[in-house]
Amino acid sequence: MRGRWIVGVLACVLLLGACGDPQSGSGAAPPAPDVPRASPSTTRQQSAPSAPPSPSASPDRSPPRGPSASRGAPPKSAPGVLYLGDSLAMENQNVLGQELRRSLRADYTSAPYSGTTLCDYLEGTREPSLVPDADKAAALVRAERPDVVVLQFWGNAWGYTPCMDKITYDSARDRYLDRYAADARRLTEQITAAGGDRPPRIVWVLQGPDPITPDRVRSVNGIYREQAAAGSDVLADAGRAVSPAGERYAWSRYLPCTSYERAHPDYCTQPDRDRTALHREDDYLHFCLAPTTSTPKPCPVRSPGILRMAREITRAVGSAL
C-alpha cells in the first residue's frame, strides 16, 4: 500500500508538468509545488503550404476563425480543430498541429492545461478550476467556431485537481467514475450548445495503459466510448498506438519499431533491437523523451509515442470531418 501511495505522489508531480528543455535538468521529477498550477498554452496555428515545423518549433499565432460549416456540409479546405486536455495534450500539441496541417490543412487551436480533468473545462460551476474562464471549452467554441473539438484527458483525480472535490479513484472508485461520466455528459452538452446551429463534432481520445491502476483506464475509456456513442461523436484510440499488439492494456516502455520509425532513425531509438522507447526511465506516464520540468510546455524532442498518438488523432479528426 505504501509503495502504491509513493507512486501516486510521483504521478501527481508528473501530471502537473509536461516536457521541458532537455538541458534543464538531469531528468529527475521536479518537486511538487505548494499550490496546484496549470500552465496555459493557448495557441493558434493556420494551415500553410510550406513544410510543417519540427516538434520543437514554436506555434504560429493567427486571429480567431470565422463561422464553421454545418455538420452536414462538405468539409472546408481548412477545417477548424480545437484541442483541449491535460499534460499529455500539453506535450502533444505541437506535433498534433503539425500532423493536422500536413494531412488536413487544418486551422488549429490548442489550449491544454497540465494537471486538469474534464470538470476544469466546464462553465458555470462553483468549484475552483485550473482553467481560466476565457479558455473553458464552451468559451473557446464560441470564439473559434471549430468543426472538431478533440478532448484528451488521462482522468486526473489524484487529490490535487480542485474541481473533483477530492474524489479519487483509489478512495472512492464508484463516486469517481460516476462523477467523471457526469462531467463527460455535461462537457458534451456545453460544447454542443456553444456551437449553436453548427455544433462541432467531438473526438474523444482513448488513453494508453496505466501500469498502476490498469482498471481505471479501462473504465475511463469506457466512459468515453459511451459518451461518443450517445452523442454520435468519434473515438481516437491513440492508446492502442502505444500498447503492445494484442495486449491493449499492457504497459511497456518499449515497443517494436513501425515501418515509419525504421525509415526515420530518430524515431527508432534502438534499431539494433528493432524497438523504440515510448517513455523515459523516470516517467512511466508521459511520452516526451525530454525530462519533465516544473514549467509545462510542448515536447521539444522527437518522441515516437507522441507521433504515434498524433497520427491516430489526426486519422480520427479526418473521419469526424
Side-chain angles (χ1 to χ4, degrees):
M1 178 65 70
R2 178 176 176 82
R4 183 171 180 176
W5 179 85
I6 292 172
V7 174
V9 172
L10 176 61
C12 291
V13 176
L14 297 175
L15 284 162
L16 283 172
C19 294
D21 186 341
Q23 298 179 347
S24 63
S26 63
D34 295 330
V35 179
R37 293 184 300 125
S39 292
S41 185
T42 306
T43 62
R44 294 175 175 83
Q45 305 180 15
Q46 285 187 312
S47 58
S50 57
S54 67
S56 61
S58 299
D60 297 328
R61 292 184 176 270
S62 63
R65 304 174 54 254
S68 64
S70 65
R71 288 193 183 192
K76 302 185 302 299
S77 59
V81 180
L82 172 62
Y83 184 42
L84 308 177
D86 53 23
S87 60
L88 295 183
M90 173 70 73
E91 67 182 12
N92 291 353
Q93 61 182 313
N94 279 8
V95 177
L96 178 59
Q98 169 183 297
E99 291 299 309
L100 289 168
R101 289 194 306 272
R102 182 182 63 82
S103 297
L104 304 174
R105 298 181 59 82
D107 283 342
Y108 172 67
T109 300
S110 61
Y113 283 77
S114 293
T116 57
T117 193
L118 298 177
C119 58
D120 284 293
Y121 282 89
L122 289 170
E123 289 186 328
T125 65
R126 291 181 293 178
E127 295 89 354
S129 174
L130 300 178
V131 176
D133 289 347
D135 285 347
K136 300 292 189 180
L140 286 173
V141 168
R142 289 190 293 268
E144 302 296 330
R145 308 297 294 175
D147 300 292
V148 176
V149 177
V150 179
L151 301 175
Q152 181 168 12
F153 291 90
W154 174 251
N156 297 352
W158 304 100
Y160 64 76
T161 307
C163 65
M164 284 294 291
D165 298 325
K166 299 183 180 180
I167 300 172
T168 66
Y169 182 83
D170 281 340
S171 65
R173 179 182 183 276
D174 290 342
R175 288 184 64 202
Y176 167 81
L177 295 175
D178 288 346
R179 170 64 184 275
Y180 205 79
D183 287 342
R185 290 191 296 270
R186 191 173 178 186
L187 189 59
T188 296
E189 292 168 357
Q190 291 192 358
I191 289 171
T192 300
D197 60 352
R198 297 171 179 173
R201 296 292 298 277
I202 297 175
V203 173
W204 293 94
V205 180
L206 301 183
Q207 300 306 290
D210 179 348
I212 306 303
T213 54
D215 288 341
R216 186 195 62 82
V217 166
R218 290 177 187 267
S219 298
V220 167
N221 283 349
I223 290 171
Y224 295 156
R225 291 181 186 277
E226 291 176 5
Q227 190 56 49
S232 299
D233 289 313
V234 177
L235 294 169
D237 198 353
R240 185 178 297 279
V242 290
S243 303
E247 298 180 90
R248 174 61 178 80
Y249 289 99
W251 184 91
S252 178
R253 185 182 168 211
Y254 297 96
L255 286 182
C257 294
T258 64
S259 58
Y260 177 88
E261 290 161 357
R262 294 185 193 100
H264 297 79
D266 288 338
Y267 287 99
C268 189
T269 57
Q270 295 188 351
D272 57 322
R273 304 179 69 176
D274 191 32
R275 68 178 193 174
T276 195
L278 301 183
H279 305 276
R280 290 173 53 85
E281 290 183 355
D282 56 358
D283 187 345
Y284 68 85
L285 173 59
H286 296 97
F287 293 89
C288 184
L289 298 183
T292 301
T293 71
S294 59
T295 304
K297 62 185 68 175
C299 185
V301 299
R302 289 181 174 85
S303 300
I306 288 178
L307 183 61
R308 289 183 182 207
M309 289 190 294
R311 289 189 160 187
E312 174 55 26
I313 294 170
T314 298
R315 185 206 61 76
V317 169
S319 175
L321 291 169

